[in-house]
Amino acid sequence: MKNKKTICLMWLLALAPVAMVVLAWPHLPQQVPFNWSLNGQVTKYVSPTALWGLAAFSPALAVLHQFLPRFDPKRKNYEKFQRTYEVMAILVMLLMAVVMAITLSAGLWPGRINVGKAICLAIGVLFLLLGNLMGKVKSNWFMGIRTPWSLSDPDVWNKTQRLGGWVFFLSGGLLIPLTLLAPPTVTFGVFFVILFGGIALTYYKSWKWFQEKQGA
């Protein structure tokens, strides 16, 4: 990352979960909900101390986003999609902050929100946004849909990312209305079928495009 404003924003979002835990700590009960069933029922309670581990995950991701490109053999390609890379990093940090806010809300005000639906809606929005951005990602070893064939050919890479972007966009676009209208089991079933089916199709098409270029 090179843009100082983007780096500052990313770190503000990355440290937001830590700040949330600090502010909520005096008010948390002795046991807080940590896992939920598909129907939104709490399946596991933990000590509030476990929230520090969840909060620390965001700064760890921020470090990876900031420095990982330096270790990529294709690091020069990041200049071609630097803005897209930065936006994706911000979106991931924002999702982590939202997840922490939802988790703390469930501990401080039990039953006020449906945790499962709230997180599914957040993931749906993330997938929609990432789907719009994936086609702009250039060949690298850490981001995007990396198949042996896409990494071997820039044209195959671009086609693979565009198809993968549609898979993410469609998955997110379906997840949002399903979360609001369908039973949880149907929501998760349809979402995972579309997502993993789409990823499988993307891998197949990546291989197919590479074979076609080799035979050309």
Side-chain angles (χ1 to χ4, degrees):
M1 284 189 173
K2 297 181 179 180
N3 190 303
K4 292 183 179 179
K5 291 183 179 179
T6 302
I7 293 173
C8 289
L9 176 58
M10 181 184 72
W11 276 100
L12 282 174
L13 290 172
L15 295 173
V18 179
M20 291 181 199
V21 175
V22 170
L23 293 173
W25 189 260
H27 311 288
L28 290 171
Q30 293 184 348
Q31 295 287 306
V32 294
F34 204 71
N35 282 332
W36 291 264
S37 68
L38 294 180
N39 294 317
Q41 300 298 315
V42 179
T43 59
K44 182 179 180 180
Y45 287 88
V46 296
S47 167
T49 306
L51 296 176
W52 292 112
L54 181 61
F57 192 58
S58 290
L61 283 177
V63 170
L64 287 176
H65 276 107
Q66 187 169 350
F67 296 107
L68 207 55
R70 300 184 184 184
F71 302 97
D72 194 329
K74 298 187 177 186
R75 54 185 169 273
K76 290 184 178 180
N77 280 349
Y78 284 81
E79 297 177 3
K80 301 176 183 178
F81 69 102
Q82 185 65 38
R83 185 59 181 168
T84 299
Y85 180 79
E86 292 173 351
V87 172
M88 285 182 163
I90 295 299
L91 290 175
V92 172
M93 293 301 104
L94 184 58
L95 176 66
M96 296 305 299
V98 169
V99 169
M100 177 57 77
I102 292 171
T103 303
L104 287 173
S105 175
L108 293 169
W109 304 288
R112 176 172 290 187
I113 62 172
N114 186 310
V115 173
K117 285 190 175 184
I119 291 178
C120 281
L121 289 173
I123 292 174
V125 172
L126 178 68
F127 271 50
L128 280 173
L129 296 174
L130 290 180
N132 275 311
L133 294 170
M134 281 184 64
K136 300 176 183 179
V137 175
K138 300 305 178 184
S139 183
N140 70 94
W141 284 90
F142 297 121
M143 179 174 285
I145 298 181
R146 302 171 305 282
T147 71
W149 314 287
S150 65
L151 289 168
S152 300
D153 186 280
D155 291 332
V156 175
W157 172 276
N158 291 333
K159 290 180 179 179
T160 301
Q161 304 318 305
R162 285 195 292 269
L163 179 55
W166 276 108
V167 170
F168 271 59
F169 186 85
L170 179 60
S171 299
L174 285 173
L175 182 58
I176 293 172
L178 284 171
T179 298
L180 296 173
L181 302 173
T185 51
V186 174
T187 298
F188 280 90
V190 173
F191 173 70
F192 284 113
V193 166
I194 296 297
L195 177 61
F196 289 110
I199 291 175
L201 174 63
T202 304
Y203 266 73
Y204 167 74
K205 291 296 290 183
S206 185
W207 169 80
K208 188 69 175 176
W209 288 321
F210 182 78
Q211 294 298 314
E212 289 173 353
K213 287 207 68 176
Q214 291 297 101

